[in-house]
Amino acid sequence: MDTRQIRYFLAVVEHGGFGRAATALNVAQPTMSQSVKALERDLGTALFHRASHGVTLSAAGRAFLGPARVLIRDVAMAGEAAGGRPEQHSLEIVASAPLGAHPGARLVGGFLRERPGVSVTLDRDTDEALLARVRDGVSALGLVHLPAARLGLCEVELGAHDLVLVFPPPCGTRVPPPAAGVEAEAVRLADLAGVELIGVPRGSASRLLVESALRAAGVRTRVVVESGQRDLITDLVIAGVGAAFMPDVAAHEAAARGAVVMRVAPALRLPYGLVHRPGELSGTARAFIDHALRGR
C-alpha cells in the first residue's frame, strides 16, 4: 500500500462517497475507486460495503480507520521534521454535547479563518466513545469536560461552564423555595434531598462533580435514569422523568421547551478542554490547540 491509497480511503470516509471525495481532491472518480480497490487487495479485505445508494464502512474499514489516520498524521509530521513544507491536511475533532456547539463551533470557525486550506471534521459522540476515539487515533483531538477518564491522554484546559438544575415543565419535583440570603433564581443543594435525577454515566466529569457536591451538602438523591446522550437527557426532563444537572449553555433549549431552569448554590463549575494522545502532534493539531488557548 502507499499513502495515496490511504488518503483516498480517508477522503471517501470524510466526504461520504467516492464521487464527493474525488471532487474534493480534484481527481477522476475511476482513479480513486481503482486506488481504493488496490488497497483492499493489499489488505485482503473489503473496507466498504458498496450499494446503489452509496458506501458504508465495513467492520474491517472501521478497524482500519484509526490506524490510517495515525499513519497519515505521522507521515505529515515526519515531513515537517525533515524541513519539508507543512501540509494543509485535515483535522479530526470529536466533541461531547454541548461542547460541539459551545465552544466547538466558534473555535473551528476562527481556526478556519486563520487557515482556510485546512479541512476540519467536527463530530459528536458520548464521553466514553469520544475518549476511545482519541485514544485509538480515529480523532486527533477531543473536546470534553474535564477531568477525563484516565486513559493516558493529555489534557489542555480551555475554560469552564456553570452547571444549572433543570426541572420538568411544570416542576414535578418538590423543591423548597430558596431560603433567605439565597438568590431568588437559585436552589440550594442542601434542599435537594429525595429529588429524582437523570444522570450521565458514572465516572464522567459532571457526574463526579455533582456527586461530590451533594455529599458535601449531606444530601441523598436518586438517579432514576442514566444516559450518555446529553441531547436525550433534555427529552427525558421535558417528559417529566426527573430533574437534571446541565451545563448552562445546554439549558437554553430546555427552557425554550418549558423546563424550569435554576442556578444552584453553591455554584458548580465544570471545566472543559481538549484531549489528545501523548507524543508529537501534527502541525495542524498543534496550531488548533494554540488557537483555542488564545481564544480562552
Side-chain angles (χ1 to χ4, degrees):
M1 72 181 74
D2 60 41
T3 56
R4 182 192 60 179
Q5 293 172 328
I6 297 174
R7 292 181 195 279
Y8 286 176
F9 162 74
L10 293 175
V12 174
V13 174
E14 290 159 6
H15 294 283
F18 284 90
R20 288 189 289 273
T23 299
L25 297 186
N26 196 28
V27 299
Q29 182 173 338
T31 299
M32 177 167 288
S33 298
Q34 292 165 12
S35 182
V36 172
K37 286 181 179 178
L39 174 62
E40 291 175 318
R41 285 196 300 272
D42 290 339
L43 294 172
T45 187
L47 299 174
F48 294 101
H49 296 301
R50 294 164 173 84
S52 58
H53 59 274
V55 296
T56 57
L57 280 171
S58 66
R62 289 193 297 273
F64 184 65
L65 181 58
R69 284 175 168 166
V70 171
L71 190 151
I72 292 301
R73 288 197 290 268
D74 287 347
V75 168
M77 287 189 291
E80 293 175 19
R85 187 176 68 180
E87 294 190 24
Q88 295 294 311
H89 55 79
S90 62
L91 175 64
E92 305 84 21
I93 305 171
V94 58
S96 62
L99 296 175
H102 309 282
R106 172 179 58 80
L107 292 176
V108 169
F111 181 68
L112 290 178
R113 285 191 290 273
E114 290 182 358
R115 293 176 173 245
V118 175
S119 172
V120 174
T121 301
L122 178 61
D123 200 3
R124 290 197 309 175
D125 215 326
T126 63
D127 290 359
E128 183 179 0
L130 178 157
L131 295 172
R133 287 172 61 167
V134 176
R135 180 198 61 207
D136 296 342
V138 176
S139 298
L141 299 173
L143 184 58
V144 66
H145 287 113
L146 303 176
R150 292 181 175 85
L151 293 174
L153 299 177
C154 301
E155 299 180 357
V156 181
E157 186 171 337
L158 299 178
H161 289 149
D162 286 320
L163 287 185
V164 295
L165 196 52
V166 183
F167 293 99
C171 183
T173 306
R174 185 187 65 80
V175 179
V182 179
E183 293 181 76
E185 296 181 359
V187 59
R188 298 187 308 177
L189 293 178
D191 292 332
L192 296 179
V195 169
E196 295 181 338
L197 295 175
I198 302 162
V200 293
R202 292 181 182 274
S204 60
S206 58
R207 178 78 173 257
L208 291 172
L209 177 63
V210 169
E211 288 180 341
S212 176
L214 291 174
R215 282 197 303 270
V219 170
R220 293 178 63 89
T221 58
R222 187 166 72 95
V223 175
V224 291
V225 176
E226 186 177 287
S227 175
Q229 299 288 343
R230 297 178 189 270
D231 295 344
L232 179 59
I233 290 176
T234 298
D235 294 331
L236 291 168
V237 171
I238 297 300
V241 174
F245 285 90
M246 293 184 187
D248 50 1
V249 294
H252 302 297
E253 178 190 353
R257 295 171 64 182
V260 178
V261 178
M262 303 180 73
R263 293 194 298 273
V264 296
L268 300 180
R269 298 278 285 170
L270 182 61
Y272 64 83
L274 294 165
V275 294
H276 63 84
R277 289 167 25 129
E280 279 296 314
L281 290 168
S282 70
T284 305
R286 288 196 306 270
F288 185 87
I289 291 175
D290 291 341
H291 171 79
L293 288 171
R294 292 196 304 271
R296 287 188 296 181

